[in-house]
Amino acid sequence: MESPKTDKKKIAFSGIQATGSVHIGNYLGAIKNWVDMQEAHRCIYSIVDMHAITVRQDPKALRENTLRAYALGIACGIDPEKSIFFIQSHVHTHAELTWVLNCFTPYGELGRMTQFKDKSQTNADNINAGLFDYPVLMASDILLYQAALVPVGADQKQHIELTRNTAIRFNSVYGNVFEIPEPLIPETGARVMSLQDPTKKMSKSDDNPKSCVALLDSRDAIIKKFRSAVTDSEAEVVMREGKDGINNLITIYGLMTGRSVAETEAEFGGRGYGDFKTAVGEAVADKLRPIQEKFDDLMKDKGYVESCYRKNADRALQFSGRTLEKVYKKVGFLAR
Ligand code: TRP
């Protein structure tokens, strides 16, 4: 029986939204870390479709994107036997714990979330209660699994802080029900910037498609995008303040090939930017090829993918059900 604390490994939980195509920034900044963490941690990962509907979604596209993101996660190396990898809406404990935690989260604290304030501006015609409550659903995701670590981007730090506050508040009333989680935020080196404006984070919603490389882009498209990457007017491949474009390319090259900054600088010393950009494009395409092949195989074998997410939903439910049961008992719900 899977339970929150069967072995000594620390539990890590993270979630990703699947509202469009996954890009190399998501891969290098999040998914690759998730894959690498599977050895030393007990990992639980989720495609958070319930978070996705806080902004209006086309149902058919959401369904397709969810399936594709799940398959892509496996293709990238998330192991659905070793880790628990599930789709959020398949596991009803998440919505249930959210209700209870809503009653332990102050309105004022939710109103201070910068992501809520930003999204209220970009979705001014649909500022719904779910958008406001988004961090409580996220807290439930994490707390249900007694996670000690939450690998996330820096933009999610405030939500983890709220999760901790809510858990501490609940524990102070009812005893130690929840583990208090810590965020695990990658150093700035792992932040992948736009290829067209290297002062901005790479984003799938960028207007210029050349700024962003999707994991499923063709080899040709990848190399073309890197060849047209914005750099500077010098000709030296070195990591240095003010060379945002080159710094970004050195970072990407390093993360994709395992080369250190010094190795990259030595390899391309005295050669022009053209050579370097092509080499980065080729390295990225080489690294992505096996992921793309695995993804194509999985999409041809949907029965297998379905069997994975079904089994993993059962595992997640069993695991999270114990926490929810404890919470229900503590708050005084009569056992049925
Ligand atoms: N809000 C996170 C993001 O946009 C996604 C997410 C949902 C998440 N639930 C989570 C991340 C739980 C970590 C843990 O990136």
Side-chain angles (χ1 to χ4, degrees), residues 13-17 34 46 48 51 88 115 119 134 137-139 141-142 150-153 155-156 159-160:
F13 184 98
S14 199
I16 194 167
Q17 285 203 38
W34 293 9
S46 183
V48 292
H51 279 104
Q88 190 184 31
Q115 187 171 308
K119 285 199 180 172
Y134 178 113
L137 177 58
M138 181 163 160
D141 294 342
I142 298 165
V150 188
V152 280
D155 62 323
Q156 296 299 312
H159 290 161
I160 309 295

PDB file of all heavy atoms in Angstrom, residues 13-17 34 46 48 51 88 115 119 134 137-139 141-142 150-153 155-156 159-160, ligand 1:
ATOM      1  N   PHE A  13       6.785  17.419  -4.745  1.00  0.00           N
ATOM      2  CA  PHE A  13       5.579  17.556  -5.570  1.00  0.00           C
ATOM      3  C   PHE A  13       5.732  18.745  -6.495  1.00  0.00           C
ATOM      4  O   PHE A  13       6.208  19.804  -6.088  1.00  0.00           O
ATOM      5  CB  PHE A  13       4.331  17.783  -4.698  1.00  0.00           C
ATOM      6  CG  PHE A  13       3.065  17.831  -5.519  1.00  0.00           C
ATOM      7  CD1 PHE A  13       2.264  16.713  -5.649  1.00  0.00           C
ATOM      8  CD2 PHE A  13       2.705  18.988  -6.221  1.00  0.00           C
ATOM      9  CE1 PHE A  13       1.117  16.736  -6.454  1.00  0.00           C
ATOM     10  CE2 PHE A  13       1.570  19.023  -7.033  1.00  0.00           C
ATOM     11  CZ  PHE A  13       0.772  17.895  -7.135  1.00  0.00           C
ATOM     12  N   SER A  14       5.318  18.590  -7.751  1.00  0.00           N
ATOM     13  CA  SER A  14       5.193  19.758  -8.599  1.00  0.00           C
ATOM     14  C   SER A  14       4.101  19.567  -9.647  1.00  0.00           C
ATOM     15  O   SER A  14       3.689  18.440  -9.930  1.00  0.00           O
ATOM     16  CB  SER A  14       6.512  20.121  -9.276  1.00  0.00           C
ATOM     17  OG  SER A  14       6.438  21.474  -9.723  1.00  0.00           O
ATOM     18  N   GLY A  15       3.632  20.678 -10.175  1.00  0.00           N
ATOM     19  CA  GLY A  15       2.568  20.643 -11.174  1.00  0.00           C
ATOM     20  C   GLY A  15       2.912  21.553 -12.335  1.00  0.00           C
ATOM     21  O   GLY A  15       3.666  22.509 -12.191  1.00  0.00           O
ATOM     22  N   ILE A  16       2.345  21.215 -13.492  1.00  0.00           N
ATOM     23  CA  ILE A  16       2.562  22.071 -14.669  1.00  0.00           C
ATOM     24  C   ILE A  16       1.241  22.210 -15.412  1.00  0.00           C
ATOM     25  O   ILE A  16       0.440  21.278 -15.464  1.00  0.00           O
ATOM     26  CB  ILE A  16       3.684  21.502 -15.578  1.00  0.00           C
ATOM     27  CG1 ILE A  16       4.152  22.538 -16.606  1.00  0.00           C
ATOM     28  CG2 ILE A  16       3.251  20.215 -16.261  1.00  0.00           C
ATOM     29  CD1 ILE A  16       5.449  22.157 -17.324  1.00  0.00           C
ATOM     30  N   GLN A  17       0.994  23.405 -15.929  1.00  0.00           N
ATOM     31  CA  GLN A  17      -0.211  23.630 -16.726  1.00  0.00           C
ATOM     32  C   GLN A  17       0.051  23.218 -18.156  1.00  0.00           C
ATOM     33  O   GLN A  17       1.155  23.398 -18.659  1.00  0.00           O
ATOM     34  CB  GLN A  17      -0.580  25.107 -16.701  1.00  0.00           C
ATOM     35  CG  GLN A  17      -1.198  25.518 -15.398  1.00  0.00           C
ATOM     36  CD  GLN A  17      -2.047  26.758 -15.541  1.00  0.00           C
ATOM     37  OE1 GLN A  17      -2.741  26.951 -16.536  1.00  0.00           O
ATOM     38  NE2 GLN A  17      -1.985  27.604 -14.542  1.00  0.00           N
ATOM     39  N   TRP A  34      12.747  17.869 -12.733  1.00  0.00           N
ATOM     40  CA  TRP A  34      11.821  16.846 -12.219  1.00  0.00           C
ATOM     41  C   TRP A  34      12.370  15.453 -12.534  1.00  0.00           C
ATOM     42  O   TRP A  34      12.345  14.561 -11.689  1.00  0.00           O
ATOM     43  CB  TRP A  34      10.462  16.946 -12.883  1.00  0.00           C
ATOM     44  CG  TRP A  34       9.662  18.171 -12.595  1.00  0.00           C
ATOM     45  CD1 TRP A  34      10.066  19.302 -11.942  1.00  0.00           C
ATOM     46  CD2 TRP A  34       8.306  18.375 -12.953  1.00  0.00           C
ATOM     47  NE1 TRP A  34       9.021  20.193 -11.888  1.00  0.00           N
ATOM     48  CE2 TRP A  34       7.945  19.659 -12.500  1.00  0.00           C
ATOM     49  CE3 TRP A  34       7.342  17.610 -13.625  1.00  0.00           C
ATOM     50  CZ2 TRP A  34       6.666  20.177 -12.682  1.00  0.00           C
ATOM     51  CZ3 TRP A  34       6.079  18.120 -13.816  1.00  0.00           C
ATOM     52  CH2 TRP A  34       5.745  19.400 -13.349  1.00  0.00           C
ATOM     53  N   SER A  46       2.089  16.394 -11.470  1.00  0.00           N
ATOM     54  CA  SER A  46       0.716  16.454 -11.962  1.00  0.00           C
ATOM     55  C   SER A  46       0.563  17.445 -13.119  1.00  0.00           C
ATOM     56  O   SER A  46       1.181  18.507 -13.132  1.00  0.00           O
ATOM     57  CB  SER A  46      -0.195  16.877 -10.803  1.00  0.00           C
ATOM     58  OG  SER A  46      -1.535  16.884 -11.209  1.00  0.00           O
ATOM     59  N   VAL A  48      -1.866  20.016 -14.226  1.00  0.00           N
ATOM     60  CA  VAL A  48      -2.901  20.676 -13.421  1.00  0.00           C
ATOM     61  C   VAL A  48      -4.002  21.299 -14.296  1.00  0.00           C
ATOM     62  O   VAL A  48      -4.102  22.511 -14.447  1.00  0.00           O
ATOM     63  CB  VAL A  48      -2.284  21.681 -12.417  1.00  0.00           C
ATOM     64  CG1 VAL A  48      -1.494  20.941 -11.348  1.00  0.00           C
ATOM     65  CG2 VAL A  48      -1.387  22.711 -13.092  1.00  0.00           C
ATOM     66  N   HIS A  51      -6.369  23.867 -12.540  1.00  0.00           N
ATOM     67  CA  HIS A  51      -5.843  25.234 -12.533  1.00  0.00           C
ATOM     68  C   HIS A  51      -6.055  25.904 -13.897  1.00  0.00           C
ATOM     69  O   HIS A  51      -6.318  27.105 -13.966  1.00  0.00           O
ATOM     70  CB  HIS A  51      -4.346  25.245 -12.192  1.00  0.00           C
ATOM     71  CG  HIS A  51      -4.070  25.141 -10.725  1.00  0.00           C
ATOM     72  ND1 HIS A  51      -3.628  23.995 -10.133  1.00  0.00           N
ATOM     73  CD2 HIS A  51      -4.202  26.054  -9.728  1.00  0.00           C
ATOM     74  CE1 HIS A  51      -3.479  24.203  -8.827  1.00  0.00           C
ATOM     75  NE2 HIS A  51      -3.814  25.440  -8.559  1.00  0.00           N
ATOM     76  N   GLN A  88      -4.585  16.083 -12.627  1.00  0.00           N
ATOM     77  CA  GLN A  88      -5.212  16.616 -11.407  1.00  0.00           C
ATOM     78  C   GLN A  88      -6.712  16.311 -11.297  1.00  0.00           C
ATOM     79  O   GLN A  88      -7.181  15.885 -10.247  1.00  0.00           O
ATOM     80  CB  GLN A  88      -4.977  18.131 -11.392  1.00  0.00           C
ATOM     81  CG  GLN A  88      -5.344  18.847 -10.116  1.00  0.00           C
ATOM     82  CD  GLN A  88      -5.146  20.347 -10.298  1.00  0.00           C
ATOM     83  OE1 GLN A  88      -5.306  20.882 -11.397  1.00  0.00           O
ATOM     84  NE2 GLN A  88      -4.779  21.037  -9.241  1.00  0.00           N
ATOM     85  N   GLN A 115       0.354  37.136  -8.793  1.00  0.00           N
ATOM     86  CA  GLN A 115      -0.144  36.461 -10.002  1.00  0.00           C
ATOM     87  C   GLN A 115      -1.639  36.748 -10.203  1.00  0.00           C
ATOM     88  O   GLN A 115      -2.097  36.933 -11.324  1.00  0.00           O
ATOM     89  CB  GLN A 115       0.120  34.960  -9.938  1.00  0.00           C
ATOM     90  CG  GLN A 115      -0.245  34.270 -11.247  1.00  0.00           C
ATOM     91  CD  GLN A 115       0.208  32.806 -11.282  1.00  0.00           C
ATOM     92  OE1 GLN A 115       1.361  32.477 -11.033  1.00  0.00           O
ATOM     93  NE2 GLN A 115      -0.709  31.932 -11.603  1.00  0.00           N
ATOM     94  N   LYS A 119      -3.093  38.494 -13.432  1.00  0.00           N
ATOM     95  CA  LYS A 119      -4.083  37.811 -14.269  1.00  0.00           C
ATOM     96  C   LYS A 119      -5.413  38.539 -14.290  1.00  0.00           C
ATOM     97  O   LYS A 119      -6.162  38.439 -15.261  1.00  0.00           O
ATOM     98  CB  LYS A 119      -4.276  36.360 -13.802  1.00  0.00           C
ATOM     99  CG  LYS A 119      -3.126  35.450 -14.189  1.00  0.00           C
ATOM    100  CD  LYS A 119      -3.523  33.993 -14.135  1.00  0.00           C
ATOM    101  CE  LYS A 119      -2.366  33.091 -14.517  1.00  0.00           C
ATOM    102  NZ  LYS A 119      -2.678  31.670 -14.287  1.00  0.00           N
ATOM    103  N   TYR A 134      -7.037  30.148  -6.797  1.00  0.00           N
ATOM    104  CA  TYR A 134      -5.992  29.330  -7.425  1.00  0.00           C
ATOM    105  C   TYR A 134      -4.905  28.871  -6.447  1.00  0.00           C
ATOM    106  O   TYR A 134      -4.549  27.693  -6.404  1.00  0.00           O
ATOM    107  CB  TYR A 134      -5.420  30.177  -8.565  1.00  0.00           C
ATOM    108  CG  TYR A 134      -4.291  29.635  -9.392  1.00  0.00           C
ATOM    109  CD1 TYR A 134      -4.489  29.330 -10.750  1.00  0.00           C
ATOM    110  CD2 TYR A 134      -3.009  29.472  -8.879  1.00  0.00           C
ATOM    111  CE1 TYR A 134      -3.447  28.870 -11.527  1.00  0.00           C
ATOM    112  CE2 TYR A 134      -1.971  29.006  -9.658  1.00  0.00           C
ATOM    113  CZ  TYR A 134      -2.193  28.707 -10.985  1.00  0.00           C
ATOM    114  OH  TYR A 134      -1.159  28.246 -11.757  1.00  0.00           O
ATOM    115  N   LEU A 137      -5.978  25.873  -4.207  1.00  0.00           N
ATOM    116  CA  LEU A 137      -5.929  24.584  -4.919  1.00  0.00           C
ATOM    117  C   LEU A 137      -4.481  24.109  -5.023  1.00  0.00           C
ATOM    118  O   LEU A 137      -4.182  22.922  -4.836  1.00  0.00           O
ATOM    119  CB  LEU A 137      -6.560  24.749  -6.315  1.00  0.00           C
ATOM    120  CG  LEU A 137      -6.536  23.529  -7.239  1.00  0.00           C
ATOM    121  CD1 LEU A 137      -7.243  22.326  -6.617  1.00  0.00           C
ATOM    122  CD2 LEU A 137      -7.173  23.863  -8.597  1.00  0.00           C
ATOM    123  N   MET A 138      -3.597  25.038  -5.266  1.00  0.00           N
ATOM    124  CA  MET A 138      -2.177  24.685  -5.346  1.00  0.00           C
ATOM    125  C   MET A 138      -1.662  24.198  -3.989  1.00  0.00           C
ATOM    126  O   MET A 138      -0.907  23.217  -3.902  1.00  0.00           O
ATOM    127  CB  MET A 138      -1.387  25.899  -5.842  1.00  0.00           C
ATOM    128  CG  MET A 138       0.083  25.648  -5.986  1.00  0.00           C
ATOM    129  SD  MET A 138       0.842  26.929  -7.014  1.00  0.00           S
ATOM    130  CE  MET A 138       2.551  26.722  -6.493  1.00  0.00           C
ATOM    131  N   ALA A 139      -2.087  24.840  -2.917  1.00  0.00           N
ATOM    132  CA  ALA A 139      -1.699  24.402  -1.565  1.00  0.00           C
ATOM    133  C   ALA A 139      -2.204  22.983  -1.318  1.00  0.00           C
ATOM    134  O   ALA A 139      -1.488  22.133  -0.774  1.00  0.00           O
ATOM    135  CB  ALA A 139      -2.265  25.362  -0.517  1.00  0.00           C
ATOM    136  N   ASP A 141      -2.791  20.648  -3.582  1.00  0.00           N
ATOM    137  CA  ASP A 141      -1.953  19.729  -4.372  1.00  0.00           C
ATOM    138  C   ASP A 141      -0.746  19.285  -3.542  1.00  0.00           C
ATOM    139  O   ASP A 141      -0.415  18.102  -3.470  1.00  0.00           O
ATOM    140  CB  ASP A 141      -1.375  20.433  -5.615  1.00  0.00           C
ATOM    141  CG  ASP A 141      -2.419  20.852  -6.632  1.00  0.00           C
ATOM    142  OD1 ASP A 141      -3.542  20.337  -6.594  1.00  0.00           O
ATOM    143  OD2 ASP A 141      -2.081  21.723  -7.487  1.00  0.00           O
ATOM    144  N   ILE A 142      -0.106  20.267  -2.942  1.00  0.00           N
ATOM    145  CA  ILE A 142       1.164  20.014  -2.255  1.00  0.00           C
ATOM    146  C   ILE A 142       0.939  19.302  -0.920  1.00  0.00           C
ATOM    147  O   ILE A 142       1.590  18.311  -0.608  1.00  0.00           O
ATOM    148  CB  ILE A 142       1.890  21.359  -2.021  1.00  0.00           C
ATOM    149  CG1 ILE A 142       2.221  22.033  -3.352  1.00  0.00           C
ATOM    150  CG2 ILE A 142       3.137  21.169  -1.158  1.00  0.00           C
ATOM    151  CD1 ILE A 142       2.596  23.507  -3.239  1.00  0.00           C
ATOM    152  N   VAL A 150       9.143  21.505  -3.131  1.00  0.00           N
ATOM    153  CA  VAL A 150       8.322  21.864  -4.293  1.00  0.00           C
ATOM    154  C   VAL A 150       9.213  22.558  -5.322  1.00  0.00           C
ATOM    155  O   VAL A 150       9.513  23.744  -5.190  1.00  0.00           O
ATOM    156  CB  VAL A 150       7.157  22.789  -3.883  1.00  0.00           C
ATOM    157  CG1 VAL A 150       6.210  22.996  -5.062  1.00  0.00           C
ATOM    158  CG2 VAL A 150       6.400  22.240  -2.682  1.00  0.00           C
ATOM    159  N   PRO A 151       9.692  21.815  -6.328  1.00  0.00           N
ATOM    160  CA  PRO A 151      10.502  22.470  -7.365  1.00  0.00           C
ATOM    161  C   PRO A 151       9.611  23.344  -8.255  1.00  0.00           C
ATOM    162  O   PRO A 151       8.723  22.835  -8.930  1.00  0.00           O
ATOM    163  CB  PRO A 151      11.109  21.294  -8.148  1.00  0.00           C
ATOM    164  CG  PRO A 151      10.250  20.103  -7.842  1.00  0.00           C
ATOM    165  CD  PRO A 151       9.567  20.364  -6.529  1.00  0.00           C
ATOM    166  N   VAL A 152       9.849  24.643  -8.212  1.00  0.00           N
ATOM    167  CA  VAL A 152       9.049  25.600  -9.004  1.00  0.00           C
ATOM    168  C   VAL A 152       9.918  26.749  -9.477  1.00  0.00           C
ATOM    169  O   VAL A 152      11.029  26.952  -8.975  1.00  0.00           O
ATOM    170  CB  VAL A 152       7.906  26.249  -8.173  1.00  0.00           C
ATOM    171  CG1 VAL A 152       6.714  25.340  -8.054  1.00  0.00           C
ATOM    172  CG2 VAL A 152       8.389  26.736  -6.825  1.00  0.00           C
ATOM    173  N   GLY A 153       9.381  27.520 -10.393  1.00  0.00           N
ATOM    174  CA  GLY A 153      10.045  28.740 -10.832  1.00  0.00           C
ATOM    175  C   GLY A 153       9.867  29.830  -9.775  1.00  0.00           C
ATOM    176  O   GLY A 153       8.968  29.757  -8.926  1.00  0.00           O
ATOM    177  N   ASP A 155       8.594  32.615  -9.922  1.00  0.00           N
ATOM    178  CA  ASP A 155       7.284  33.286  -9.942  1.00  0.00           C
ATOM    179  C   ASP A 155       6.270  32.604  -9.020  1.00  0.00           C
ATOM    180  O   ASP A 155       5.232  33.193  -8.712  1.00  0.00           O
ATOM    181  CB  ASP A 155       6.745  33.353 -11.382  1.00  0.00           C
ATOM    182  CG  ASP A 155       6.510  31.978 -11.988  1.00  0.00           C
ATOM    183  OD1 ASP A 155       7.313  31.054 -11.710  1.00  0.00           O
ATOM    184  OD2 ASP A 155       5.529  31.802 -12.724  1.00  0.00           O
ATOM    185  N   GLN A 156       6.560  31.376  -8.586  1.00  0.00           N
ATOM    186  CA  GLN A 156       5.615  30.652  -7.731  1.00  0.00           C
ATOM    187  C   GLN A 156       5.963  30.731  -6.247  1.00  0.00           C
ATOM    188  O   GLN A 156       5.305  30.117  -5.414  1.00  0.00           O
ATOM    189  CB  GLN A 156       5.551  29.177  -8.166  1.00  0.00           C
ATOM    190  CG  GLN A 156       5.002  28.980  -9.569  1.00  0.00           C
ATOM    191  CD  GLN A 156       3.585  29.497  -9.696  1.00  0.00           C
ATOM    192  OE1 GLN A 156       2.728  29.199  -8.874  1.00  0.00           O
ATOM    193  NE2 GLN A 156       3.334  30.305 -10.717  1.00  0.00           N
ATOM    194  N   HIS A 159       3.217  31.758  -3.850  1.00  0.00           N
ATOM    195  CA  HIS A 159       2.188  30.734  -3.641  1.00  0.00           C
ATOM    196  C   HIS A 159       2.647  29.668  -2.645  1.00  0.00           C
ATOM    197  O   HIS A 159       1.839  29.125  -1.892  1.00  0.00           O
ATOM    198  CB  HIS A 159       1.807  30.074  -4.971  1.00  0.00           C
ATOM    199  CG  HIS A 159       1.052  30.983  -5.896  1.00  0.00           C
ATOM    200  ND1 HIS A 159       0.945  30.753  -7.250  1.00  0.00           N
ATOM    201  CD2 HIS A 159       0.367  32.124  -5.656  1.00  0.00           C
ATOM    202  CE1 HIS A 159       0.229  31.717  -7.803  1.00  0.00           C
ATOM    203  NE2 HIS A 159      -0.127  32.559  -6.864  1.00  0.00           N
ATOM    204  N   ILE A 160       3.932  29.379  -2.662  1.00  0.00           N
ATOM    205  CA  ILE A 160       4.456  28.388  -1.700  1.00  0.00           C
ATOM    206  C   ILE A 160       4.435  28.989  -0.298  1.00  0.00           C
ATOM    207  O   ILE A 160       4.147  28.312   0.686  1.00  0.00           O
ATOM    208  CB  ILE A 160       5.900  27.947  -2.058  1.00  0.00           C
ATOM    209  CG1 ILE A 160       6.028  27.522  -3.519  1.00  0.00           C
ATOM    210  CG2 ILE A 160       6.377  26.840  -1.120  1.00  0.00           C
ATOM    211  CD1 ILE A 160       5.262  26.309  -3.909  1.00  0.00           C
TER     212      ILE A 160
HETATM  213  N1  TRP B   1       0.917  27.274 -10.338  1.00  0.00           N
HETATM  214  C1  TRP B   1       1.981  26.494 -10.893  1.00  0.00           C
HETATM  215  C2  TRP B   1       2.536  27.233 -12.130  1.00  0.00           C
HETATM  216  O1  TRP B   1       1.807  27.957 -12.769  1.00  0.00           O
HETATM  217  C3  TRP B   1       1.535  25.115 -11.277  1.00  0.00           C
HETATM  218  C4  TRP B   1       1.138  24.314 -10.071  1.00  0.00           C
HETATM  219  C5  TRP B   1      -0.119  23.938  -9.708  1.00  0.00           C
HETATM  220  C6  TRP B   1       2.012  23.808  -9.086  1.00  0.00           C
HETATM  221  N2  TRP B   1      -0.087  23.192  -8.563  1.00  0.00           N
HETATM  222  C7  TRP B   1       1.206  23.113  -8.152  1.00  0.00           C
HETATM  223  C8  TRP B   1       3.402  23.883  -8.914  1.00  0.00           C
HETATM  224  C9  TRP B   1       1.763  22.508  -7.024  1.00  0.00           C
HETATM  225  C10 TRP B   1       3.959  23.281  -7.793  1.00  0.00           C
HETATM  226  C11 TRP B   1       3.130  22.598  -6.857  1.00  0.00           C
HETATM  227  O2  TRP B   1       3.679  27.041 -12.463  1.00  0.00           O
END
